[in-house]
Amino acid sequence: MSTRKIGPASLARLMGGWHRVGGKVPAYRQIQHALRLLILDGRLPIGVRLPGERHLAEVLGVSRTTIGAAYAGLRDLGFVVSRHGSGSLTRLPSEAKRLPDEAHDDSLMEFSIAAPPAPKEIHAAYTSALAELPIYLPALGYEPAGLVGLRQVIADRYVRRGVPTAPDEILVTQGAQHGLVLALSLLSRPGDQVVVDQPTYPKALDAIANASCQAIPVPLPPSGWDIEMLDATLRQTGARISYLIPDFHNPSGRCMNEFSRAALAKIMVDRGCNLIVDETMADLWLDQGPPSPVAHFDRGGKIISLGSMSKSYWGGMRIGWVRADRDIIRAMALHRSSHDMGGPVLEQLAAMSLLRNEESSLPDKRDQIRRQRDHLLALLGRKFPDWNFENPQGGLSVWVELPVPVAIALTAAAREQGLRIAPGSRFGVDGALNRFLRLPYSLPESSIDVAVERLSCAWDNVANGKCRTTKLDPDNLTSAI
Amino acid sequence: MSTRKIGPASLARLMGGWHRVGGKVPAYRQIQHALRLLILDGRLPIGVRLPGERHLAEVLGVSRTTIGAAYAGLRDLGFVVSRHGSGSLTRLPSEAKRLPDEAHDDSLMEFSIAAPPAPKEIHAAYTSALAELPIYLPALGYEPAGLVGLRQVIADRYVRRGVPTAPDEILVTQGAQHGLVLALSLLSRPGDQVVVDQPTYPKALDAIANASCQAIPVPLPPSGWDIEMLDATLRQTGARISYLIPDFHNPSGRCMNEFSRAALAKIMVDRGCNLIVDETMADLWLDQGPPSPVAHFDRGGKIISLGSMSKSYWGGMRIGWVRADRDIIRAMALHRSSHDMGGPVLEQLAAMSLLRNEESSLPDKRDQIRRQRDHLLALLGRKFPDWNFENPQGGLSVWVELPVPVAIALTAAAREQGLRIAPGSRFGVDGALNRFLRLPYSLPESSIDVAVERLSCAWDNVANGKCRTTKLDPDNLTSAI
């Protein structure tokens, strides 16, 4: 495994506002908590060499003894291993016997994932798929581009939304993230720049980094998108790829208007740039349906659209798709088989059944999510009068602006209240956005009540030092991976 | 997309024995066929700039006019596009309306894939999975490391085979190839060398190339493995990763003995090298069960084992796994979610049901494959007395040595007989092994009869010019992607 290093200034940036305003916890413990959180979040990778104590102490403005004590505490907890000659390396405690996938069952309430449980139609869809399966059993089962029938159903959906599409312009994937990884590996080369919104979906940033590309953030303005700045950024950087979420943007929930979509599509042709459009949330409109997909305005084969069933149906069903020019789809299908051999047949049959009957389940789902959104927003307005947020027009989350840049500290404090939340810094490049939080409304209203109560306690702790420390020992929360 | 180049000498190596011994087809057509085959095979990627006509003519020892005519023919067929200032680039004809996944249904008989149809137990496994599904529906469905229950079942299998294993030493993947991609992306860095057998599984070579690593081939000796040469290669190159298939090696079907396994495990510790062991075929032993898995001999956490259900059950079920040191598994699970969000829940439940009852379906499957193997080998012995092959001890294919290095030409000739076969060059680094073929015995005996008949005709065509050209116009076979 690699032995990467992180410099003291970079680490300090990642730590953001590590000190809790008004907290009585000694500095070494606060630093220890901040570092542990970064490791658990995956933002500080495993096997990275931490800066020397003296250098980090200088940058953070604390004594060397403080850093020494923080490192020693992390060593005791199993988050750091010190090797003679190679310094202090990050690790995960192997004595933590609990598995990563048990994280959802632990004492922490999950308020960092914006994803719904399965609707009742899922089981029926699998049952109908099982009835169709025997037709497929004599074949070898390898379909790198996806079953033709499913590609047809997905193409028909685009046609209904105003985008002429044939089945050979569709590739079935394991989800939108998988589609993004495939698109990047086909279209990008190491070192390429990829223009993204800021904030944006964290796992998209991960995928861009994994493709050895550099994400170039363009900040979202107070409303809509700044298409001129996007254009200027493409011109100045010469970037050939962009990734945007115009349909109920994650995390903000905003929707791009028709005028901006048309302008965007034209800019991509003018600048010779491919635009990857993530439509994962497109079905989850809450106030009114979105305008035509960006691909509707495409005049040069520059738009690659990503779809997914994880948010509008269930995360345990792993089906997504890419819609693009048929030459790109063809190349992607050829390329894909060096990564995996295509998706499971039964899964694709179940997806086909759900998509054929989409209007039988989506309206109920939208009603439910709309109620949950309104409930969360009303609670936030009451409990946190000094927090700002815009009303999300769709999707599953609200993007909250705190009055002070303490999201990472608040995340640590929430953990002590038994609540896992997603700090804004996960949604930006270079650890920025520490003034923001993403809060999901994909939970039932009663769970939202509990989560907001705990969040409120954590906020008091961070902002005023009012809450007493709970009995949960934060050092025992290592299963939250 | 990239604008890579290929030099005339490299292209000539890829083309191998492009001229058909004794054929009456003009040279420009033969070159055109060879290049088209390389593009369709994916061995010559899309968007690569071909060498200038003069340079390729020199290297192939033909006139420049010949190359000009070959390129012109490829342009007409849509396999090459010429752009002013950037030469001739490879492409796929977009007017070929048929989808890649229809390739299996076209007029070509598939004799290049070593994979069986589904056994009758598959449907029952999905039915039982569906009964269990409701328990999982209220959860979010994201399990980056796999369902704990399935990890337990897989761990138990290793324990029964003599390898103490806990569930947190198992990661569930979409198949062995996906496991290999994850292992390489965690353990390798661009430019790393990966020591492999030669021949080896072509998609493993693809995965190594995609990870920007270099495959260092160690030739298989006439029998067994040359462990000393493997050790010497690791010593000389300093490579830190190796990929081998000791359990019914693909394509040769040979099995590594216990002594070599123990020696190999020790070498990996001595040289500080990680060994990725592909056990995809381990269940498909035909004469006697394999020795203990290589991981049984591991004393330093250096062995990463890959398993899959695609060959022993069905390719349409996409479940595989990685077994490794728990720190590696933990890091892989964290890393994975930037690629995909984990596998489908139902698929994992079905896999659990099949693996719990593995001895109810595998013996029948082995009997059937054994009969097919014996049938193919007997036929080959009768029809091709001057071909050499060793008796595969397991797996799904036999590795055939031709008397002359004309496998690529034979592949083209077989295509004209309506048969798709896999030339040996796909199984080696740098286009070597043009003297070899991999033939699968995963088909029913009656299909093997037809395939061998067509192969025999193609062979006559290549070796003696005896067969008349069939009515199939090879220029219309562009759907065979």
Side-chain angles (χ1 to χ4, degrees):
Chain A
M1 271 181 278
S2 58
T3 47
R4 280 179 286 172
K5 287 186 278 194
I6 183 164
S10 303
L11 185 57
R13 267 198 303 278
L14 271 181
M15 290 170 70
W18 56 272
H19 43 280
R20 302 181 198 180
V21 186
K24 286 167 196 161
V25 180
Y28 84 91
R29 290 271 291 190
Q30 296 182 35
I31 291 167
Q32 178 183 312
H33 281 179
L35 290 175
R36 200 183 47 179
L37 195 65
L38 289 172
I39 297 168
L40 287 169
D41 262 6
R43 303 193 61 220
L44 194 53
I46 295 160
V48 166
R49 188 193 305 174
L50 293 173
E53 295 173 3
R54 190 166 53 80
H55 294 114
L56 186 59
E58 275 169 17
V59 170
L60 294 183
V62 298
S63 75
R64 183 173 169 172
T65 326
T66 299
I67 303 296
Y71 281 12
L74 289 168
R75 254 193 309 275
D76 291 347
L77 294 168
F79 286 91
V80 160
V81 61
S82 297
R83 291 208 183 109
H84 188 67
S86 61
S88 299
L89 305 179
T90 56
R91 63 190 293 267
L92 284 170
S94 62
E95 67 274 20
K97 289 283 184 251
R98 301 169 85 170
L99 302 172
D101 49 16
E102 288 176 338
H104 303 304
D105 303 323
D106 68 19
S107 56
L108 281 187
M109 178 175 184
E110 184 52 75
F111 204 46
S112 70
I113 296 179
K120 62 184 187 310
E121 289 79 6
I122 288 279
H123 200 272
Y126 278 117
T127 307
S128 107
L130 197 53
E132 282 185 67
L133 186 65
I135 307 170
Y136 294 85
L137 292 177
L140 300 182
Y142 295 109
E143 303 281 2
L147 296 180
V148 179
L150 178 55
R151 297 166 79 188
Q152 182 74 58
V153 169
I154 295 167
D156 293 346
R157 284 177 93 245
Y158 277 103
V159 172
R160 285 199 299 278
R161 286 158 174 74
V163 191
T165 304
D168 60 354
E169 293 168 307
I170 299 290
L171 178 84
V172 178
T173 66
Q174 319 275 10
Q177 182 75 5
H178 183 222
L180 175 59
V181 169
L182 288 174
L184 287 172
S185 77
L186 184 73
L187 300 171
S188 77
R189 311 183 68 169
D192 277 359
Q193 297 180 314
V194 179
V195 172
V196 300
D197 290 330
Q198 171 134 302
T200 190
Y201 182 53
K203 288 190 183 296
L205 296 176
D206 292 347
I208 291 166
N210 276 342
S212 301
C213 293
Q214 188 195 357
I216 306 290
V218 175
L220 280 185
S223 72
W225 272 258
D226 190 338
I227 302 293
E228 271 182 34
M229 193 189 281
L230 265 166
D231 187 26
T233 306
L234 290 177
R235 193 181 64 237
Q236 287 156 15
T237 60
R240 307 291 298 271
I241 310 180
S242 181
Y243 166 87
L244 299 176
I245 317 170
D247 298 273
F248 314 114
H249 174 261
N250 188 348
S252 75
R254 62 176 75 166
C255 183
M256 189 182 287
N257 66 31
E258 191 161 333
F259 178 79
S260 294
R261 288 172 191 239
L264 196 58
K266 183 170 181 310
I267 286 168
M268 294 300 145
V269 175
D270 293 348
R271 303 261 170 244
C273 181
N274 282 299
L275 173 62
I276 303 174
V277 175
D278 188 338
E279 299 175 345
T280 297
M281 298 290 186
D283 280 333
L284 296 181
W285 53 267
L286 299 177
D287 299 326
Q288 59 184 36
S292 302
V294 178
H296 170 79
F297 304 95
D298 188 18
R299 294 294 171 269
K302 289 294 178 194
I303 309 295
I304 292 106
S305 311
L306 307 179
S308 170
M309 301 185 66
S310 305
K311 304 294 187 177
S312 23
Y313 296 91
W314 186 41
M317 161 170 272
R318 303 302 317 144
I319 293 284
W321 55 83
V322 182
R323 183 209 174 273
D325 188 272
R326 60 170 57 79
D327 287 345
I328 291 180
I329 293 295
R330 194 183 283 270
M332 233 179 241
L334 277 171
H335 177 73
R336 173 197 190 152
S337 63
S338 62
H339 289 263
D340 67 79
M341 306 293 177
V345 170
L346 188 79
E347 200 76 359
Q348 296 184 67
L349 296 174
M352 222 187 295
S353 158
L354 284 171
L355 292 178
R356 275 199 192 115
N357 304 298
E358 57 183 349
E359 282 316 311
S360 77
S361 72
L362 287 178
D364 280 359
K365 177 145 227 163
R366 287 186 201 112
D367 286 345
Q368 185 193 343
I369 295 175
R370 188 179 303 115
R371 279 194 305 273
Q372 292 166 185
R373 175 196 65 178
D374 296 346
H375 186 75
L376 175 63
L377 297 189
L379 266 182
L380 290 180
R382 275 207 305 280
K383 290 271 186 180
F384 308 101
D386 54 347
W387 292 12
N388 281 314
F389 52 86
E390 62 180 277
N391 193 351
Q393 299 171 260
L396 295 167
S397 64
V398 55
W399 183 239
V400 170
E401 186 183 0
L402 307 175
V404 277
V406 292
I408 292 179
L410 179 60
T411 304
R415 230 171 245 269
E416 292 178 25
Q417 302 297 331
L419 187 71
R420 186 184 289 112
I421 58 173
S425 46
R426 285 288 286 130
F427 299 79
V429 177
D430 304 329
L433 304 177
N434 193 29
R435 187 186 289 274
F436 294 86
L437 285 184
R438 184 191 74 170
L439 300 180
Y441 43 80
S442 45
L443 291 73
E445 282 135 296
S446 57
S447 304
I448 289 176
D449 288 342
V450 176
V452 171
E453 196 52 50
R454 294 186 184 186
L455 187 60
S456 165
C457 227
W459 176 245
D460 281 356
N461 201 354
V462 168
N464 318 312
K466 262 201 282 181
C467 271
R468 291 183 310 140
T469 306
T470 63
K471 286 187 184 120
L472 272 174
D473 175 5
D475 291 347
N476 280 334
L477 296 178
T478 54
S479 62
I481 294 164
Chain B
M1 273 180 274
S2 57
T3 47
R4 280 179 286 172
K5 286 186 279 193
I6 184 166
S10 303
L11 186 57
R13 267 198 303 279
L14 271 181
M15 291 170 70
W18 56 271
H19 42 281
R20 303 180 196 179
V21 187
K24 285 168 197 159
V25 180
Y28 84 92
R29 292 269 292 190
Q30 296 182 33
I31 291 167
Q32 178 184 312
H33 281 178
L35 290 175
R36 200 182 45 179
L37 196 66
L38 289 173
I39 296 168
L40 287 169
D41 263 7
R43 304 193 60 220
L44 194 53
I46 294 159
V48 166
R49 189 193 305 175
L50 293 173
E53 296 174 3
R54 191 166 53 80
H55 294 113
L56 185 58
E58 274 169 17
V59 171
L60 293 183
V62 298
S63 74
R64 184 173 168 172
T65 326
T66 299
I67 302 297
Y71 280 12
L74 290 168
R75 254 193 308 274
D76 291 348
L77 293 168
F79 285 93
V80 160
V81 62
S82 297
R83 290 207 185 110
H84 189 68
S86 61
S88 299
L89 305 180
T90 56
R91 63 189 295 266
L92 283 171
S94 62
E95 67 275 20
K97 290 283 183 252
R98 301 169 84 169
L99 303 172
D101 49 15
E102 289 177 339
H104 304 306
D105 304 323
D106 66 19
S107 56
L108 283 187
M109 179 175 184
E110 184 53 76
F111 204 46
S112 71
I113 295 180
K120 62 183 187 308
E121 289 79 6
I122 288 279
H123 200 273
Y126 278 116
T127 307
S128 106
L130 197 53
E132 282 186 67
L133 186 64
I135 306 170
Y136 294 84
L137 292 177
L140 300 183
Y142 295 107
E143 302 281 2
L147 296 180
V148 179
L150 178 55
R151 297 167 79 187
Q152 182 74 57
V153 169
I154 296 168
D156 292 347
R157 286 177 91 243
Y158 277 104
V159 172
R160 286 198 300 278
R161 286 158 174 74
V163 190
T165 304
D168 60 353
E169 293 169 308
I170 299 290
L171 177 83
V172 178
T173 66
Q174 319 275 9
Q177 182 75 8
H178 182 222
L180 175 58
V181 169
L182 288 174
L184 286 172
S185 77
L186 183 73
L187 300 172
S188 78
R189 310 184 69 168
D192 277 359
Q193 296 181 315
V194 179
V195 172
V196 300
D197 290 331
Q198 171 133 301
T200 190
Y201 182 52
K203 288 191 182 294
L205 296 176
D206 292 346
I208 291 166
N210 276 343
S212 302
C213 293
Q214 188 195 359
I216 306 290
V218 175
L220 280 185
S223 71
W225 272 258
D226 190 338
I227 302 292
E228 271 181 34
M229 193 189 282
L230 265 166
D231 188 26
T233 305
L234 290 176
R235 193 181 64 236
Q236 287 156 16
T237 60
R240 308 291 297 271
I241 310 181
S242 182
Y243 166 87
L244 299 176
I245 317 170
D247 297 272
F248 314 116
H249 175 259
N250 188 348
S252 75
R254 62 176 74 164
C255 184
M256 189 182 286
N257 66 32
E258 191 162 334
F259 178 80
S260 294
R261 287 173 192 238
L264 197 57
K266 182 169 181 307
I267 286 168
M268 294 300 145
V269 175
D270 293 347
R271 303 262 169 243
C273 180
N274 283 299
L275 174 61
I276 303 173
V277 175
D278 187 339
E279 299 176 344
T280 298
M281 299 289 187
D283 280 333
L284 297 181
W285 54 266
L286 299 177
D287 299 326
Q288 59 184 33
S292 301
V294 178
H296 170 79
F297 305 95
D298 188 17
R299 295 294 171 268
K302 289 295 179 195
I303 309 295
I304 292 105
S305 310
L306 307 178
S308 170
M309 301 184 68
S310 306
K311 304 293 188 179
S312 25
Y313 296 91
W314 187 39
M317 161 171 272
R318 305 301 317 143
I319 293 283
W321 55 83
V322 182
R323 182 209 174 273
D325 188 271
R326 60 169 56 81
D327 287 344
I328 291 180
I329 293 295
R330 194 182 285 269
M332 233 180 242
L334 277 171
H335 178 73
R336 174 199 191 150
S337 63
S338 62
H339 289 264
D340 66 80
M341 306 291 176
V345 170
L346 188 78
E347 200 76 0
Q348 296 184 66
L349 296 175
M352 221 187 296
S353 157
L354 284 171
L355 291 178
R356 273 197 192 117
N357 304 298
E358 58 183 351
E359 281 316 310
S360 77
S361 72
L362 287 178
D364 280 358
K365 178 144 226 163
R366 288 186 200 112
D367 286 347
Q368 186 194 343
I369 295 175
R370 188 180 302 115
R371 281 194 304 274
Q372 292 167 187
R373 175 196 65 179
D374 296 347
H375 186 75
L376 175 64
L377 296 188
L379 266 182
L380 291 180
R382 273 207 305 280
K383 290 271 187 180
F384 308 102
D386 53 348
W387 291 11
N388 282 314
F389 52 85
E390 62 181 278
N391 194 352
Q393 299 171 261
L396 295 166
S397 64
V398 56
W399 183 238
V400 170
E401 185 182 1
L402 307 174
V404 278
V406 292
I408 292 178
L410 179 59
T411 303
R415 229 170 244 267
E416 291 179 24
Q417 302 297 329
L419 187 72
R420 187 184 287 113
I421 58 174
S425 44
R426 286 288 287 129
F427 300 79
V429 178
D430 304 329
L433 303 177
N434 193 29
R435 187 186 288 274
F436 295 86
L437 285 183
R438 184 190 74 168
L439 300 179
Y441 43 81
S442 45
L443 290 73
E445 282 135 297
S446 57
S447 304
I448 290 176
D449 288 342
V450 176
V452 170
E453 197 51 50
R454 293 184 185 187
L455 186 61
S456 165
C457 227
W459 176 245
D460 282 357
N461 202 351
V462 168
N464 317 312
K466 262 201 281 182
C467 271
R468 290 184 310 141
T469 308
T470 63
K471 285 187 187 122
L472 272 174
D473 175 4
D475 290 346
N476 280 334
L477 295 179
T478 54
S479 61
I481 294 164

